[in-house]
Amino acid sequence: MNILYNITPLLGAETGIGHYTRKIVKGLEQHNEVRNIGLFSTHKIHSEIPELPVIPSATNQVNRNSFNVKKIILENTPNILKLGYSRIIEQRVGKQLNKYYKSFIYHETNYNFLPFAGRKISTFHDLSILHFPEYHPIERVKYFEKRLKYTLESANHFITDSKFVKQEMIDLLGVAEEKITSIPLGVDKIYKQRTSKEIALTLSKYKLLGTKYLLIVGSFEPRKNIKLVLAAYDQLPSIIKQEYVIVHVGPEGWNYEKVWQEALSLRDKNQFISLGYIPKIDLAHIYNGASIFIFPSYYEGFGFPPLEAMASGIPVISTQNSSLGEIVDNNNAYIVDVDDIDLLCNRILHILSEGKSEIVSKISHGFLTSKRFEWETTLETTLEVYKKL
């Protein structure tokens, strides 16, 4: 069996799709039923999987307004020139794919295909771009819409991370049910319960040793609904805010400026710390040091962070919409609504102030939930989809 992958998601800061791509490619490249693996990005053919990017040293004071020449040039280049250049490069890569990899199965781990004449599988992680186009850059929306028709018409099969997204593809995109396989993702074994001694060095590295904090993980963008956490925190009694701060881990995302200004006002009071993008082992330790993990997202195609927090043995507060309903429930988490500031505030106070036996029960159920999601199962089920082709 010969498999071809687009590894573009591995070329920058690794988000959920990049993590998925790396797990699939690395997990199957040594499988005895996979003979050859081809790798490419939208700009060239690759001979190997790139290593995870080097993470700059943490400062606890992420500067989102830093001077970046490359970023300024890209932001000021007319979109028509950027799109034209990308189209030329993609066409060149597409010709190489059809010349050298025509006998391969092309698995696109990030939605839409590049032109390819052979057998094709696409993973759709979510349809947020259709529900909430305002939560995505306009260029991303246009690119998705432009490629979508070709992908839907030419795919031999589709994979989704959740049953929720599978049903959305049936209802919204008209894809036949038998052409979609729902394959839940896994929780890395790096996320586990650790002692305070085990995490002390990492907490010290980020100047969090001895700090009590509420943790949020994810990109600073509208869909993640971080504004709800900031608003609920602002309503907490002063004595609580003197004792607990908010810690954020994740990249900038998109269209974050308004919420970031709100975060800065809390940072000026020493109530908010953003660590930016950090190594996974550090994140695992940061989970362990948290008093509460909060995930108020409007929409998710899967939802790694709640599972990572559950595996780490900390209380979880989460919304339950979209695919999150397949992960969080009243047994393993405290459920909130996406716009209910008062409810989130009360959930935080409840966990910090009372209900110890109840919290222990939810943590125990959360730990069991996390054990149901294993990458080994994801890989074997994905391989079965390949076999069908």
Side-chain angles (χ1 to χ4, degrees):
M1 193 182 307
N2 303 320
I3 314 296
L4 178 65
Y5 296 101
N6 180 356
I7 60 170
T8 301
L10 304 183
L11 303 183
E14 195 162 293
T15 58
I17 294 177
H19 183 56
Y20 169 77
T21 303
R22 186 177 296 276
K23 281 291 185 180
I24 293 295
V25 178
K26 293 288 287 183
L28 294 178
E29 68 176 350
Q30 301 299 326
H31 200 286
N32 56 16
E33 295 191 62
V34 177
R35 184 170 48 185
N36 295 301
I37 283 183
L39 306 172
F40 74 95
S41 67
T42 51
H43 289 78
K44 68 175 185 176
I45 305 296
H46 292 257
S47 59
E48 58 185 13
I49 303 171
E51 295 299 320
L52 283 167
V54 176
I55 310 299
S57 299
T59 63
N60 279 353
Q61 300 287 331
V62 176
N63 181 4
R64 311 267 175 172
N65 300 311
S66 58
F67 183 76
N68 186 316
V69 174
K70 183 178 179 182
K71 183 176 181 181
I72 291 173
I73 292 173
L74 286 173
E75 288 178 348
N76 288 278
T77 300
N79 287 333
I80 190 169
L81 293 180
K82 288 190 286 189
L83 290 173
Y85 175 75
S86 296
R87 193 173 296 117
I88 292 170
I89 298 299
E90 287 180 2
Q91 287 174 349
R92 187 180 71 184
V93 173
K95 289 180 180 178
Q96 291 178 304
L97 298 184
N98 285 293
K99 181 177 180 180
Y100 298 112
Y101 299 100
K102 65 173 62 177
S103 65
F104 284 55
I105 295 172
Y106 168 18
H107 181 183
E108 176 54 68
T109 63
N110 190 18
Y111 301 97
N112 289 328
F113 300 123
L114 263 67
F116 184 72
R119 294 160 293 175
K120 295 183 286 295
I121 297 169
S122 173
T123 295
F124 272 58
H125 300 279
D126 62 67
L127 294 182
S128 64
I129 204 163
L130 298 182
H131 290 291
F132 307 106
E134 68 275 18
Y135 291 170
H136 298 270
I138 187 64
E139 294 84 4
R140 184 188 300 166
V141 176
K142 288 181 178 179
Y143 183 86
F144 181 86
E145 292 174 343
K146 177 176 172 22
R147 296 285 190 188
L148 182 60
K149 185 173 186 291
Y150 171 71
T151 297
L152 294 177
E153 291 177 349
S154 64
N156 297 95
H157 203 79
F158 296 95
I159 293 172
T160 63
D161 304 334
S162 62
K163 295 175 183 177
F164 173 82
V165 176
K166 175 179 178 178
Q167 192 59 50
E168 283 201 314
M169 291 191 71
I170 295 169
D171 296 340
L172 301 179
L173 300 179
V175 179
E177 183 175 0
E178 62 271 16
K179 288 190 69 174
I180 312 171
T181 301
S182 172
I183 307 177
L185 309 183
V187 182
D188 279 5
K189 291 179 172 54
I190 196 173
Y191 300 106
K192 62 182 181 180
Q193 293 173 305
R194 289 180 166 86
T195 66
S196 56
K197 184 177 180 180
E198 289 178 293
I199 66 174
L201 190 61
T202 300
L203 294 185
S204 179
K205 171 183 174 181
Y206 293 100
K207 301 179 182 177
L208 292 175
L209 192 61
T211 300
K212 295 181 180 180
Y213 58 91
L214 317 177
L215 179 64
I216 48 179
V217 175
S219 55
F220 226 91
E221 60 183 73
R223 180 166 62 92
K224 299 300 182 180
N225 199 22
I226 291 174
K227 66 179 182 181
L228 184 72
V229 181
L230 303 183
Y233 180 86
D234 193 51
Q235 288 190 7
L236 291 172
S238 296
I239 191 169
I240 297 293
K241 289 187 285 188
Q242 289 171 9
E243 190 174 3
Y244 294 87
V245 302
I246 296 174
V247 171
H248 166 254
V249 177
E252 285 183 358
W254 172 81
N255 195 19
Y256 64 87
E257 289 83 2
K258 183 178 179 181
V259 179
W260 179 246
Q261 290 304 314
E262 297 175 20
L264 286 181
S265 66
L266 290 177
R267 191 181 73 175
D268 292 341
K269 303 173 189 175
N270 297 315
Q271 295 173 337
F272 178 87
I273 299 169
S274 184
L275 304 182
Y277 183 72
I278 65 176
K280 284 194 173 101
I281 184 61
D282 290 1
L283 173 59
H285 290 184
I286 297 296
Y287 272 121
N288 274 261
S291 298
I292 303 174
F293 172 73
I294 307 174
F295 198 69
S297 178
Y298 280 111
Y299 179 101
E300 295 291 324
F302 181 68
F304 282 118
L307 282 171
E308 293 165 355
M310 289 177 187
S312 303
I314 61 171
V316 171
I317 300 176
S318 175
T319 49
Q320 199 181 25
N321 50 58
S322 58
S323 68
L324 291 172
E326 297 172 35
I327 295 174
V328 300
D329 56 41
N330 287 312
N331 291 318
N332 59 28
Y334 293 87
I335 308 302
V336 294
D337 298 325
V338 293
D339 297 317
D340 198 329
I341 299 170
D342 293 337
L343 180 58
L344 177 54
C345 182
N346 290 334
R347 294 290 197 215
I348 294 171
L349 285 172
H350 176 74
I351 295 172
L352 296 180
S353 307
E354 52 189 298
K356 186 174 181 181
S357 61
E358 174 191 271
I359 294 169
V360 170
S361 175
K362 286 186 184 292
I363 289 175
S364 178
H365 279 94
F367 185 73
L368 293 175
T369 298
S370 70
K371 292 301 179 187
R372 298 204 313 264
F373 295 84
E374 296 185 335
W375 278 112
E376 291 80 5
T377 304
T378 304
L379 293 171
E380 290 300 326
T381 312
T382 301
L383 192 65
E384 289 301 313
V385 174
Y386 296 166
K387 290 178 182 178
K388 290 179 182 179
L389 296 187

